[in-house]
Amino acid sequence: MSEAPNYIVKGATGDWEIVVGLEVHAQVTAKAKLFSGASTEFGAEPNAQVSLVDAAMPGMLPVINGECARQAVRTGLAIDAQINKWSRFDRKNYFYPDLPQGYQISQLYHPIVGEGHLDIELDDGTKKRIGIERIHLEQDAGKSVHDLHPSMSYVDLNRCGCALMEIVSRPDIRSPAEAGAYVAGLRQLLRYVGSCDGNMDEGSMRADVNVSVRKAGQPFGTRTETKNVNSVRFIMLAVEHEARRQVDLIESGGTVIQETRLFDPGSGTTRAMRGKEDAHDYRYFPDPDLLPLVFDDAFIAQCRGSLPELPAAKRARYESTLGLSPYLAAVLSAEKETADWFETALAATAAKVGQPVTEVALRVANFVSTDLFGALKKLGKEIGDSPVSPDALAELLALAADGTLSGPLVKQVFEAMLETREGAASIVEQRGLKQVSDTGAIDAAIQTVMDANPEKVAEYRSGKDKLFGFFVGQVMRAMAGKAAPGVVNDRLKALLEV
Ligand code: ADP
Ligand code: MG
C-alpha cells in the first residue's frame, strides 16, 4: 500500500506530527438490550423502555442477549480480528444519575474480539491499514436531560443497558483526513455487516477522540481524550483543533495533561471536562452474576457464513470483473442497499437482453449512478423507496438495447416511470413513444425543416458545417424526440448534400 505522507501542524519551533487513536462506540443492532428484554427502539417516550434489570431493582439478574454476542463476533470477523472463544464481563464501578446500577458491565480484561484492522483510503487514493486493538461489549448508560426544567434535571433510562461495541483503534491515525476516513469506513462496514445502523445523529455511533502531538521521530506525546463526538466532520474538527491547541500550549511553555475534554460543535473547539481517571479508580472486577462467554468453532463458522460480501471485496470485484471505473465501483458499493439494488438490476438487465452481465454492467452502472441517483435526490427518497424497481429498470434498458427507444426517449420514459410507477413497455405503448427509424417519416420531417429554413440550408451548403447540429435538433423536435438519431444523421447528410 502506498503510504499517506504524515500531516503536519506548523509551529513556531518547527513541524509537529499528529497521533490519533479512536474509541468508537457503536450501538449493536438488536431488538432487546444487552442483559434485559426491554426494547431498544429509538424515539420512544422517556422511560418507556426500562425493565427492572435496567432500573437496577434489588435482586434483578442480568441475562446475556445472545444476538448481541453474535453481532460482535460477526463484526470481529469483518475486521479480520481474532475472535476470543472465552471472554468475560467485568463491573466498572462509578456513580452517575443515569446509571442506576452504580456500575457499567463491560469487558476490560477479556474482550470478545481481539486484534484486527481496517484498511482506509483517502480522497487522493492513498491507502493505509489502521490497527484495531479490540472490540468489547458493554452497556450504554441512560441520558440526563438538563434543558427541560429551570432548576432540575430529568433522567431518561431508555438507552440504559443497550448493547454497545467499543471498537478501539491503535494510535495509527496521523491526520484529520485519516480519522475521517477511518470512521466513515468503519461505519460503512458496520452497516454492511448489519451489526450497527450507523445513525450518528441518533447517537448509534460516536467516537472518543484521543489526540497527541510530537516532533518527527520522537516518542508519543501525552494524549487528551475528547468524548462522544458524533459526526465524521466533528471528529475531523476535534482532531484538528486539539492538535493545534496542544502545539500552541507546548510551544508557549505549557504541558499537555492527560484529561477528558468535550467538543463544542458550535465553535469547533474542545474544552476540559475532567482529569483522566485510571483503571484502578473504577475498581474493576468480574461480574459475579454472569458466566463467561464461551464459543465453539461451529458458532464462529456460522457467524462467518452469515457475513455478506464486504465493501472492499465488492468494490474490487466491480472493478476487476465488471470493468467499472474506481469511481463507479466506489459509488455503487458505498451502501449495501445500493449495491444490492444495482446487482439485482444488472442481473435482470442481462437476462432481458440475453447478454452476459459484463456486457451490460457499464450501461446499468451509469444509469443507476446518474439518472436514478439524480431522480432519487430530487424526490428526496432513499434507494429502498425508489418508485422504479430493479426489474422495471431492466425492462427500460432492454427497450434501449433492442432499438425501440433512443437515448432521449429512454429519459422521457424513465421520467414517466418515476411519476406513474408503471412499466416501461406499457408507457411506450400508451404514449406511442417508440423510436421511429422509418426513413419515409424521417425524410418528410427533414424536408419540412429544410423548407422552413432556406437560408440555413444555403449557408450549410456554402460550407457552414456547424449548422448540422441545428438541423438534427430541429428534426428531432419535429418528431417529438422519437426519431432514431443514427437514421436522422444519415438522412440529413444525404438530403443536405444534394
Ligand atoms: P485507556 O485504557 O486509558 O483508555 P488505551 O491504551 O486503551 O487507554 O487507549 C485508548 C485509546 O487511545 C486507543 O484508541 C489508543 O489508540 C489511543 N492512544 C493511546 N496512546 C495515544 C497517544 N499517545 N496519542 C494518541 N492516541 C493514543
Ligand atoms: Mg479507553
Side-chain angles (χ1 to χ4, degrees):
M1 289 190 206
S2 55
E3 280 280 308
N6 280 351
Y7 181 88
I8 295 297
V9 182
K10 295 273 176 213
T13 61
D15 291 348
W16 294 80
E17 235 172 62
I18 303 184
V19 174
V20 179
L22 296 175
E23 295 163 278
V24 171
H25 288 93
Q27 186 176 331
V28 178
T29 301
K31 293 204 167 69
K33 296 184 179 180
L34 184 53
F35 299 113
S36 86
S39 167
T40 57
E41 194 141 350
F42 180 78
E45 283 292 300
N47 297 309
Q49 297 171 167
V50 186
S51 76
L52 296 173
V53 172
D54 308 321
M57 290 296 147
M60 293 300 114
L61 289 175
V63 176
I64 180 82
N65 176 348
E67 177 60 12
C68 298
R70 196 180 75 94
Q71 291 289 29
V73 170
R74 295 175 73 243
T75 306
L77 293 169
I79 56 158
D80 261 329
Q82 177 204 330
I83 304 303
N84 292 325
K85 289 192 196 162
W86 193 97
S87 63
R88 190 188 70 193
F89 290 99
D90 306 302
R91 287 188 183 178
K92 178 181 184 180
N93 298 282
Y94 63 100
F95 173 80
Y96 219 71
D98 53 24
L99 185 75
Q101 278 174 166
Y103 56 85
Q104 178 194 33
I105 305 181
S106 180
Q107 298 184 306
L108 178 67
Y109 302 105
H110 297 280
I112 186 165
V113 173
E115 288 224 38
H117 56 82
L118 182 74
D119 292 336
I120 60 167
E121 184 170 334
L122 303 182
D123 287 343
D124 66 4
T126 49
K127 295 183 176 149
K128 183 168 173 177
R129 174 160 290 186
I130 307 296
I132 292 175
E133 196 175 300
R134 51 151 55 200
I135 301 179
H136 61 255
L137 275 173
E138 62 185 30
Q139 297 174 301
D140 205 346
K143 204 165 70 180
S144 298
V145 185
H146 304 295
D147 54 4
L148 286 182
H149 192 279
S151 60
M152 285 190 278
S153 288
Y154 291 119
V155 172
D156 176 5
L157 295 181
N158 280 350
R159 220 175 53 190
C160 189
C162 284
L164 297 177
M165 291 180 283
E166 180 168 334
I167 306 166
V168 184
S169 90
R170 296 226 165 264
D172 291 347
I173 295 164
R174 290 291 176 276
S175 69
E178 286 183 17
Y182 173 79
V183 174
L186 191 58
R187 178 174 180 275
Q188 180 192 44
L189 191 69
L190 297 176
R191 287 170 58 83
Y192 258 78
V193 170
S195 57
C196 170
D197 64 25
N199 291 338
M200 298 186 84
D201 46 1
E202 292 178 3
S204 294
M205 211 182 136
R206 46 197 200 263
D208 296 345
V209 184
N210 297 274
V211 180
S212 65
V213 297
R214 66 171 174 186
K215 286 280 173 68
Q218 293 299 303
F220 287 163
T222 303
R223 74 187 149 104
T224 60
E225 178 178 7
T226 304
K227 293 296 247 185
N228 279 329
V229 191
N230 68 351
S231 86
V232 172
R233 198 170 69 84
F234 291 162
I235 288 165
M236 294 170 70
L237 278 174
V239 170
E240 200 167 315
H241 173 267
E242 189 50 24
R244 183 77 256 168
R245 188 190 70 84
Q246 291 181 13
V247 166
D248 292 346
L249 177 65
I250 298 168
E251 291 192 332
S252 63
T255 319
V256 177
I257 46 169
Q258 190 172 337
E259 64 183 353
T260 303
R261 300 180 67 85
L262 273 183
F263 179 72
D264 173 17
S267 61
T269 61
T270 67
R271 63 187 155 82
M273 186 164 102
R274 54 176 146 88
K276 172 79 186 176
E277 321 78 351
D278 282 320
H280 61 250
D281 292 334
Y282 290 119
R283 300 291 190 272
Y284 276 96
F285 66 89
D287 192 304
D289 291 339
L290 287 160
L291 290 168
L293 283 176
V294 181
F295 306 134
D296 58 16
D297 290 331
F299 172 74
I300 294 171
Q302 209 180 56
C303 289
R304 194 187 295 282
S306 76
L307 289 178
E309 181 180 33
L310 297 176
K314 198 179 269 298
R315 205 176 137 184
R317 180 171 62 84
Y318 284 1
E319 287 183 41
S320 63
T321 313
L322 297 181
L324 301 186
S325 67
Y327 169 77
L328 276 179
V331 166
L332 292 169
S333 64
E335 293 276 347
K336 183 167 178 301
E337 268 205 308
T338 310
D340 288 347
W341 202 102
F342 163 66
E343 289 181 36
T344 311
L346 178 59
T349 306
K352 282 210 163 69
V353 304
Q355 287 180 349
V357 287
T358 48
E359 286 299 313
V360 293
L362 191 59
R363 181 81 183 95
V364 180
N366 277 326
F367 200 93
V368 171
S369 64
T370 22
D371 303 68
L372 180 68
F373 284 6
L376 291 175
K377 193 165 176 197
K378 252 196 238 152
L379 295 170
K381 283 188 193 295
E382 299 292 322
I383 197 144
D385 307 318
S386 168
V388 172
S389 71
D391 270 334
L393 179 65
E395 186 187 325
L396 174 66
L397 294 181
L399 289 174
D402 73 8
T404 308
L405 296 177
S406 65
L409 280 182
V410 170
K411 291 206 190 298
Q412 254 189 63
V413 174
F414 182 59
E415 290 293 325
M417 290 165 72
L418 289 166
E419 261 167 46
T420 63
R421 291 175 180 257
E422 281 190 53
S426 87
I427 288 171
V428 168
E429 191 61 34
Q430 284 167 35
R431 308 194 180 188
L433 288 176
K434 268 197 176 73
Q435 169 165 272
V436 179
S437 347
D438 164 33
T439 47
I442 290 173
D443 281 2
I446 292 177
Q447 200 53 57
T448 312
V449 169
M450 285 170 66
D451 290 349
N453 299 280
E455 347 61 59
K456 293 257 169 31
V457 175
E459 281 178 58
Y460 178 83
R461 286 180 174 159
S462 64
K464 209 168 166 194
D465 292 351
K466 278 192 297 192
L467 280 171
F468 193 74
F470 162 79
F471 286 109
V472 173
Q474 291 296 307
V475 173
M476 278 299 193
R477 182 185 295 178
M479 299 196 61
K482 286 188 264 176
V487 182
V488 170
N489 271 308
D490 292 348
R491 295 308 301 155
L492 257 178
K493 277 207 187 93
L495 294 173
L496 281 170
E497 298 300 315
V498 179

